[in-house]
Amino acid sequence: MSPEKRGTGDVAVEAARRVLGDGAAISEPRKLAGGAMHDSWAVDGTVDGSSRELVVRVSPAGRADYEKTRREFEVLKVAFGRGVRCPQPIDVGRFESGEDYLVMSRVRGDSNPRQLVTSDQYAGARKRLIAQLAEDLARIHQISPDDVAAAPNMRGPAAGEDPLAYHRREAEAMFRVFLLNPHPAIDWAFRWLDRQIERLPRPQRAPCVVHGDFRIGNVMYDEDGLTSLLDWEGTHIGEPEEDIAWLCTRVWRFGKNDLQAGGIAPREEWVRACEIASGLEISRERVATWEVLQNIRWAEITMMQARAHLDGHTQSHELAAIGRRTAETELEILRLTGVGARVG
Amino acid sequence: MQDRPTAVELLDALGGFMRDRAENARDRWERFQFQVAANSIGIIKRELELEDGFMRAEWAGLDRLLGAEEMPKEQAALAVRLGERNAELVEQIRSGAFDGEAEARLLPHLWETIVNKVRVASPNEAL
């Protein structure tokens, strides 16, 4: 087989061999449910009689972003060392043929969020989960920018800049790139955000590492609750309120809209759990402001996904349909900013 | 004039097919794909039934915010001009024209147009 023709499963086996050595017996790779940008494979290896269970995530040539993969690896390394429940990162690298890979330990558990939020079998897990998520999030937020100096390009606010102001500016830059048609409500929401940022007291804490995609769909669990926090691709520098608010965004509640925090707990119970776990005072107003910004970001993701189809990058009726979910997100933005209560 | 079934009746038939395939899917991936397809059929159907009225209401709202203008009679021209007027509205919002007291005129229009979009795209989320 020529190197250009090999699939990501072959790349996964080759990456596992780099980690385990030429003497290892390596199983057939098994494809795992995964994102649009990468393929993840479960690979088992046996070295000198002991077995290793790995996940190898492969980014195909052309879609690979080695700097980003290395960033994720370096942050995972620090988080794992601090006791955060997350995959242990083992190796990161790339092949001359263009693919890059991340090798991690395989953690047991399920990651289907709908089942977690709605099934009776996981009622006990849901009860425990809020405190567990708050604990691990507090551990992540104790990581300072200096602690992850080895991670390339950790974007974040300049010294002394309000993280909310920085990420609001980034979100608008993204919006101008991805929008497919005018969205007066989102442009109004940016002005609302500016007034909020002007009005709110500046945070007194130093910026910290944030997970960057802290939602219920990235939680791996079993009947005892949290087993692993997945998908650290979005990690960057920010403030705790950003991750806290992202878990509350309406789109991932699976219909449990009275349980704003990921469909498993009321928003206030979640914020309180974060305060208890971290010992920090969490500003409800900043969380509320972040939740508006996070919904704008979700609206941008829906546009980006629709655009991937419309540009012919990835032909997909599913991506096309996501483009029509921008509207429900705009409606949520108007609810969160109080417009619904004023005029609805 | 086309024969029956009408476009809406054809879409109903297609939607029924998609839902049936979702219920009898071989795996989770296939079930999800057919559910998404059935949802898209539903969006098209509701848009055919509702969008005419929603576009007129949006035009009237823009008239109140940007000044009155004669509405194009032809549907495609109306859609193009609505897009242009929305871009004008965005420019005015960004320039600060709807800050302060003027905001009270803007917000009902934003709410109404977005509720109408949601009635087509995801009616379960509408209220």
Side-chain angles (χ1 to χ4, degrees), chain A residues 114-189:
Chain A
R114 184 177 294 279
Q115 172 184 273
L116 172 60
V117 169
T118 58
S119 152
D120 287 343
Q121 188 192 347
Y122 293 101
R126 287 197 290 276
K127 245 191 202 98
R128 279 184 281 275
L129 203 51
I130 279 298
Q132 293 167 334
L133 290 174
E135 269 166 33
D136 279 26
L137 200 52
R139 289 194 184 104
I140 296 168
H141 293 155
Q142 277 159 12
I143 303 171
S144 75
D146 286 345
D147 296 331
V148 291
N153 194 18
M154 289 289 285
R155 63 198 171 80
E161 189 184 13
D162 183 342
L164 196 44
Y166 168 81
H167 287 291
R168 173 254 177 266
R169 204 171 61 238
E170 291 282 292
E172 186 177 351
M174 274 260 292
F175 174 63
R176 304 280 165 226
V177 171
F178 289 118
L179 88 178
L180 290 154
N181 48 265
H183 289 275
I186 294 179
D187 270 295
W188 173 81

Side-chain angles (χ1 to χ4, degrees), chain B residues 41-88:
Chain B
I41 300 276
I43 293 173
I44 299 167
K45 196 187 138 191
R46 288 186 297 274
E47 186 162 322
L48 283 173
E49 291 171 337
L50 299 170
E51 187 62 2
D52 210 26
F54 288 169
M55 281 165 83
R56 288 161 192 280
E58 190 169 345
W59 187 272
L62 288 165
D63 273 355
R64 285 190 290 275
L65 296 173
L66 303 174
E69 184 180 312
E70 196 182 338
M71 191 172 73
K73 300 214 165 22
E74 202 244 321
Q75 188 80 0
L78 174 58
V80 169
R81 188 65 195 128
L82 268 175
E84 290 166 355
R85 295 189 92 193
N86 274 321
E88 285 170 33

Side-chain angles (χ1 to χ4, degrees), chain B residues 91-107:
Chain B
E91 284 317 307
Q92 293 210 10
I93 291 169
R94 294 183 69 189
S95 75
F98 289 100
D99 288 353
E101 282 177 17
E103 195 173 58
R105 294 194 296 123
L106 174 69
L107 297 181

Side-chain angles (χ1 to χ4, degrees), chain A residues 8 11 37-41 56-66 68-69 72 93-95 97-102 233:
Chain A
T8 57
V11 176
M37 301 302 283
H38 321 280
D39 290 332
S40 291
W41 297 87
V56 183
R57 204 187 67 196
V58 178
S59 314
R63 271 183 274 168
D65 179 346
Y66 189 49
K68 195 170 159 188
T69 310
E72 193 175 350
R94 62 176 150 183
F95 290 104
S97 40
E99 306 90 351
D100 65 37
Y101 63 85
L102 179 60
E233 276 177 74

Side-chain angles (χ1 to χ4, degrees), chain A residues 24-316:
Chain A
I26 293 173
S27 71
E28 271 295 297
R30 189 162 49 80
K31 196 167 180 186
L32 301 169
M37 301 302 283
H38 321 280
D39 290 332
S40 291
W41 297 87
V43 182
D44 298 329
T46 311
V47 195
D48 303 328
S50 69
S51 64
R52 297 283 298 275
E53 296 187 339
L54 306 175
V55 171
V56 183
R57 204 187 67 196
V58 178
S59 314
R63 271 183 274 168
D65 179 346
Y66 189 49
E67 188 176 71
K68 195 170 159 188
T69 310
R70 268 176 52 229
R71 177 167 67 229
E72 193 175 350
F73 177 82
E74 295 294 343
V75 173
L76 268 172
K77 215 160 70 176
V78 176
F80 185 80
R82 301 278 183 99
V84 175
R85 281 161 278 207
C86 61
Q88 179 178 16
I90 296 168
D91 194 23
V92 63
R94 62 176 150 183
F95 290 104
E96 274 179 24
S97 40
E99 306 90 351
D100 65 37
Y101 63 85
L102 179 60
V103 182
M104 299 167 277
S105 62
R106 197 153 82 240
V107 183
R108 284 171 200 287
D110 210 313
S111 63
N112 174 358
R114 184 177 294 279
Q115 172 184 273
L116 172 60
V117 169
T118 58
S119 152
D120 287 343
Q121 188 192 347
Y122 293 101
R126 287 197 290 276
K127 245 191 202 98
R128 279 184 281 275
L129 203 51
I130 279 298
Q132 293 167 334
L133 290 174
E135 269 166 33
D136 279 26
L137 200 52
R139 289 194 184 104
I140 296 168
H141 293 155
Q142 277 159 12
I143 303 171
S144 75
D146 286 345
D147 296 331
V148 291
N153 194 18
M154 289 289 285
R155 63 198 171 80
E161 189 184 13
D162 183 342
L164 196 44
Y166 168 81
H167 287 291
R168 173 254 177 266
R169 204 171 61 238
E170 291 282 292
E172 186 177 351
M174 274 260 292
F175 174 63
R176 304 280 165 226
V177 171
F178 289 118
L179 88 178
L180 290 154
N181 48 265
H183 289 275
I186 294 179
D187 270 295
W188 173 81
F190 277 124
R191 294 190 81 76
W192 181 90
L193 279 173
D194 289 340
R195 290 197 298 269
Q196 281 291 104
I197 292 166
E198 187 85 0
R199 198 173 63 76
L200 291 175
R202 292 279 281 278
Q204 297 304 304
R205 293 180 233 118
C208 62
V209 168
V210 299
H211 177 280
D213 196 5
F214 197 80
R215 60 186 162 92
I216 204 73
N218 284 331
V219 169
M220 190 165 249
Y221 58 92
D222 61 17
E223 289 186 6
D224 294 322
L226 177 63
T227 61
S228 188
L229 292 173
L230 307 176
D231 198 350
W232 293 61
E233 276 177 74
T235 186
H236 57 265
I237 303 300
E239 63 173 336
E241 284 84 352
E242 175 179 352
D243 280 333
I244 292 171
W246 190 233
L247 185 71
C248 297
T249 44
R250 183 179 175 102
V251 56
W252 290 296
R253 293 179 197 152
F254 299 94
K256 305 266 182 189
N257 279 319
D258 48 343
L259 303 174
Q260 296 91 350
I264 59 173
R267 188 189 284 106
E268 177 55 27
E269 189 182 321
W270 163 235
V271 174
R272 188 73 199 116
C274 289
E275 285 188 318
I276 292 166
S278 65
L280 300 173
E281 199 180 311
I282 303 296
S283 157
R284 269 67 174 170
E285 269 206 295
R286 288 187 77 80
V287 172
T289 306
W290 266 109
E291 199 174 327
V292 172
L293 179 55
Q294 297 293 44
N295 274 280
I296 292 177
R297 282 171 155 183
W298 170 244
E300 290 169 5
I301 291 168
T302 63
M303 294 170 201
M304 191 166 72
Q305 306 239 29
R307 192 177 268 281
H309 166 79
L310 294 171
D311 288 351
H313 177 277
T314 313
Q315 187 92 57
S316 158

